[in-house]
């Protein structure tokens, strides 16, 4: 009898757990940057390359969630794929600084614990998103920069590569064009002389990658990774490694990853503002994300977009630029991949 | 007759301007850090040194406002004085990194334009707050780091000093104690091995300086400057140079400068959260500041405080630590200077 009761309790417990797991929705979204993605610079082949890679990243992240992995693990998996692809402005194939090198930024936030990690201005860490996670999990800090961050990453056993690993020929061509003898903007970035209006170069300001996810335990996470702004100088850092600006996650509201003209996203505290509108004005996710991206940022002059997810698996991906590389898998399993406006 | 009308118009205009100037309130607050400021480590003489310097900074900033200067100019004036004083953990007399050098962070925000500037991890700029202002006013960027930021500051004509300028004997003694052969914490900062519990050293985590001001034109500004955390490693950056975390200003809500355990202030997006509570929940300044500092941060385990000001000249200076070096001048001209809890 005692054994029977035990068995009943066990079955009951097992049943409850299975039910809870099935009740809990999983969902994920990724972006590969927003900007003036002009069809003129796009071929059907290149478009396919982009959508295939977005598909690979979002599907790999989703597979992690399906297997019972955490939102944080899904974010790491998806972003690592995008960082390793030369198509996006993060990790391999990132844009070049004014000095012709690659400097990378990344951040991550766990919506369950509100813990966060970020690295900025790193030049030798193969996957900056993994370094951001290590900062979050293995140090008492949130943000590490430059060589110090690289030393930490190395101590944590992360893969270190020479800076040349990140360099791709097409980025070098863009950089050379921007810094050629007859370019009046050569090497200059000032309020009167902002980055190039040449769309083939301007695009490159906006190739940041990011991921937001909801796992079966009801937890949210967000991550962002970038090479920053083409031809950047002076150790410039954008919104991507800034918690609250480029990345934010809180189980009570949402997880957000931003992409766009970083300076505006910092000044607008864009990612956290979406969460604040949900928490304090009781706005639903979609309305809050659109309020920030389509109204506030537009008013300030800040181009870009966000991907955002809430605890129910609602997904919002607004952008105020020509296009945004984006993909998501909804709680019902539907997959969506797009580049331009609908 | 024509001349008389002109004269009347002129007098009328002058009268209106004078009235407008008198109607518009001015007010200012400064802080020199919050933490476990223990009476055991304090002498009456040292206490007087602190209050005198706070008085000097807040009075100098107020004088700028009285002469028709902007909130931004008042913030720069007050913070420069605090940076130049070896009493606080900013500029001269800042704490040492694990390597025995000084690395400084600062940020500033203009509540009228929502423009912002920040420098992080700089080692040779005499007054980091002036570099943050230069980034805001003379570049298209918000944040610059390390050597790049120093190159920019030098190009802008700011004063460059050797790193040894910042070094003070008492900081070196603290550093030596922390890194002595028999200290089990030597050189280690990890989640299991956080910075020292020795109060004479622990204090030094919290010596950040800051200023918020309201000028007669109704504009707000905020600035923050710090040497960061004693014995910090890996290019660690706290909340001080992070817009939204350590510094925020918006004429529609408030100007805030934070001080405390930076990692928590970043994760809480503390400075902007106060503004969001005012904007979205219509909380008055004091209630919003207390909600964040005395409830949210306490719940997370984050020690520290903020100074905050709104467009009406209301000032809030809540802190959840033992003490906070603070001073303010209210719109009615009353001056307040304090270190411990009331």
């Amino acid at each position: 009898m005692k054994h029977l009761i035990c068995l009943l309790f066990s079955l009951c417990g097992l049943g409850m757990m299975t039910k809870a797991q099935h009740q809990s929705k999983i969902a994920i979204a990724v972006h590969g940057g927003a900007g003036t993605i002009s069809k003129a610079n796009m071929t059907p082949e290149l478009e396919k390359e982009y959508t295939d890679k977005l598909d690979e990243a979002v599907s790999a992240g989703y597979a992690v969630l399906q297997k019972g992995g955490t939102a944080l693990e899904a974010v790491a998996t998806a972003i690592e794929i995008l960082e390793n692809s030369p198509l996006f402005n993060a990790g391999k194939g990132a844009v070049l600084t004014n000095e012709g090198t690659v400097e990378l930024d990344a951040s991550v936030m766990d919506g369950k614990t509100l813990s966060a990690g970020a690295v900025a201005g790193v030049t030798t860490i193969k996957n900056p998103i993994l370094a951001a996670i290590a900062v979050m999990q293995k140090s008492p800090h949130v943000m590490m920069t430059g060589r110090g961050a690289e030393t930490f990453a190395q101590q944590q056993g992360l893969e270190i590569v020479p800076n040349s690993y990140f360099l791709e020929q097409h980025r070098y061509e863009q950089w050379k064009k921007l810094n050629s003898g007859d370019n009046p903007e050569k090497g200059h970035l000032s309020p009167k002389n902002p980055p190039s209006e040449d769309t083939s170069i301007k695009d490159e300001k906006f190739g940041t990658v990011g991921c937001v996810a909801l796992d079966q335990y009801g937890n949210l996470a967000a991550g962002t990774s970038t090479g920053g702004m083409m031809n950047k100088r002076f150790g410039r850092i954008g919104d991507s490694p800034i918690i609250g600006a480029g990345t934010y996650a809180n189980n009570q509201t949402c997880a957000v990853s931003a992409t766009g003209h970083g300076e505006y996203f910092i000044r607008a505290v864009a990612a956290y503002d979406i969460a604040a509108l949900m928490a304090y004005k009781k706005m639903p996710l979609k309305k809050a994300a659109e309020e920030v991206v389509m109204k506030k940022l537009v008013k300030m002059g800040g181009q870009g977009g966000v991907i955002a997810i809430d605890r129910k698996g609602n997904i919002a991906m607004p952008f105020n630029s020509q296009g945004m590389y984006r993909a998501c898998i909804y709680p019902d399993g539907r997959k969506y991949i797009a580049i331009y406006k609908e």
Side-chain angles (χ1 to χ4, degrees), chain A residues 292-315:
Chain A
V292 172
V293 175
M294 308 310 281
K295 291 184 187 171
K296 285 191 168 193
L297 281 166
V298 167
K299 203 177 152 193
M300 293 173 81
Q303 261 201 62
V306 304
I307 53 171
I309 192 167
D310 70 14
R311 205 168 177 165
K312 293 175 189 161
N314 292 310
I315 291 173

Side-chain angles (χ1 to χ4, degrees), chain A residues 53-185:
Chain A
K53 190 55 75 173
L54 289 167
D55 191 354
E56 183 189 337
V58 80
S59 300
Y62 190 74
V64 169
L65 297 173
Q66 277 183 311
K67 282 179 208 146
T70 65
L72 191 66
E73 288 163 349
V75 164
T77 298
I79 292 184
E80 212 181 328
I81 290 169
L82 298 172
E83 283 180 340
N84 291 347
S85 162
L87 290 171
F88 306 98
N89 179 16
K92 191 166 182 59
V95 300
L96 305 194
T97 65
N98 185 254
E99 289 77 31
T101 58
V102 170
E103 282 181 16
L104 305 167
D105 310 324
S107 68
V108 72
M109 189 160 182
D110 180 339
K112 183 186 179 187
T113 58
L114 299 187
S115 56
V119 291
V122 296
T123 60
T124 62
I125 303 168
K126 189 188 173 204
N127 291 106
I129 191 69
L130 301 184
I133 291 171
V135 170
M136 175 171 84
Q137 293 179 334
K138 310 283 186 185
S139 91
H141 301 315
V142 168
M143 193 170 191
M144 295 185 185
T145 58
R147 293 215 173 169
E150 289 164 5
T151 302
F152 175 79
Q154 193 157 22
Q155 285 179 9
Q156 295 299 320
L158 295 185
E159 192 173 346
I160 302 296
V161 293
N163 196 253
S164 59
Y165 158 80
F166 301 108
L167 257 67
E168 286 285 316
Q169 188 63 27
H170 72 290
R171 298 297 190 194
Y172 176 67
E173 298 298 334
Q174 289 165 344
W175 178 82
K176 221 169 56 179
K177 198 169 162 188
L178 203 58
N179 290 284
S180 67
D182 56 350
N183 188 331
E185 293 176 7

